[in-house]
Amino acid sequence: MEPYEPPSRESPPPPPEQGPAPGPGEPELRCPRCGAPHERDQEYCLECGLRLVPLPAFYRRLEVWSRDSPVWLWAALLALLAVALVAGAIVAAAAAGDDDEEGSRASVPVVTTSPSTTDTVGVITDPGTITLEDTTNPLTTTTGPFTTTLLPTTSTLETTTTLPTTTTSPTTTTSSGTISWPAGTDGWTVILKSVPTSDGRSEADAAAQDALDAGLPEVGVLDSSNYSSLNPGYYATFTGVYNTSNEAVNALPRARNSGFPLAYAREVAD
């Protein structure tokens, strides 16, 4: 009996697992690309990396159009594309032809005449006599008195522009050379100075004398309470009696340059 020997602490590594050996009549499997042997359930070749297990059907359909696809497959794709382009061009040309035909039909002028309408042309042969020529039957003419209807015509009349002139209403001149505003006259003037009636009229008369000395025309003093267009309660020194506001405005520079810088144009109306 041999003595018992305990196993050593360092045991040898287990042998590598090996796949089932091929059966006695089973051929050895080799890679179709490089010829290296492989196991039956091996997915890729360990030498060249070729896939040994075929992909499922849906994977194969995704890889049909690849760089490795057969030439006939690419040729079929190009043929289909060419047919589609030709068909599109034919459809576009047909549509353009229909548009041109519709446009030509729409642009043909159509003239309709009514068989019951007779076109006549009037020719004046002498005063009071009109000869009507039947254009539908040029051999038939009718002569006799007819009623002539004059159509309204548009005429352009020459217009004459009348420039506004200074009013010629009679004015009353006082002994001092001033005037009073013409009675019953509505117009425009240039107000030189306004003085409250409570302060008296002397200051307004003095301003009127200064205006006369400066050569201003038609100078006078009026009571604003007598006119609805003026604020009541003032004696107003004025110069000029004008028909329009433009005339009064045009007279402002002369009045302001004559010592009345605050002069302004104002309407005077009852």
Side-chain angles (χ1 to χ4, degrees):
M1 183 175 179
E2 296 180 358
Y4 172 76
E5 292 182 4
S8 62
R9 294 180 180 178
E10 295 180 2
S11 59
E17 296 182 359
Q18 296 181 359
E26 189 175 354
E28 185 179 12
L29 299 177
R30 291 184 175 275
C31 175
R33 179 185 293 177
C34 65
H38 64 85
E39 301 296 334
R40 180 170 300 278
D41 56 354
Q42 186 174 332
E43 189 174 1
Y44 293 95
C45 177
L46 300 178
E47 297 296 332
C48 65
L50 178 66
R51 185 179 183 87
L52 302 175
V53 179
L55 291 171
F58 66 90
Y59 281 130
R60 287 199 299 272
R61 282 196 296 270
L62 292 176
E63 292 185 354
V64 167
W65 300 102
S66 63
R67 292 185 300 175
D68 298 333
S69 300
V71 176
W72 64 268
L73 206 55
W74 288 104
L77 177 62
L78 293 176
L80 290 175
L81 182 60
V83 171
L85 292 176
V86 172
I90 293 174
V91 171
D98 293 340
D99 293 341
D100 294 341
E101 185 176 356
E102 290 178 1
S104 61
R105 286 199 299 267
S107 61
V108 173
V110 178
V111 180
T112 59
T113 57
S114 175
S116 61
T117 302
T118 301
D119 297 332
T120 59
V121 178
V123 180
I124 299 176
T125 56
D126 57 2
T129 303
I130 299 177
T131 300
L132 297 181
E133 179 181 357
D134 191 345
T135 58
T136 59
N137 189 0
L139 299 179
T140 303
T141 58
T142 303
T143 304
F146 298 97
T147 301
T148 303
T149 302
L150 298 179
L151 297 177
T153 59
T154 303
S155 59
T156 303
L157 299 178
E158 246 182 74
T159 58
T160 304
T161 303
T162 304
L163 297 177
T165 57
T166 305
T167 182
T168 57
S169 300
T171 58
T172 303
T173 304
T174 64
S175 58
S176 61
T178 60
I179 65 171
S180 60
W181 186 263
T185 300
D186 294 341
W188 288 77
T189 189
V190 176
I191 303 297
L192 301 176
K193 188 171 184 177
S194 297
V195 180
T197 55
S198 59
D199 294 344
R201 180 170 172 157
S202 59
E203 188 174 352
D205 291 336
Q209 188 60 47
D210 293 340
L212 290 174
D213 295 341
L216 295 179
E218 297 180 311
V219 178
V221 178
L222 56 82
D223 188 350
S224 64
S225 301
N226 298 330
Y227 303 93
S228 60
S229 62
L230 301 177
N231 294 327
Y234 292 91
Y235 289 117
T237 305
F238 67 90
T239 175
V241 180
Y242 304 105
N243 292 328
T244 64
S245 61
N246 288 337
E247 292 179 294
V249 171
N250 292 335
L252 279 177
R254 181 180 178 183
R256 291 173 179 174
N257 293 331
S258 300
F260 300 93
L262 301 180
Y264 58 93
R266 192 64 185 267
E267 183 182 12
V268 180
D270 292 337

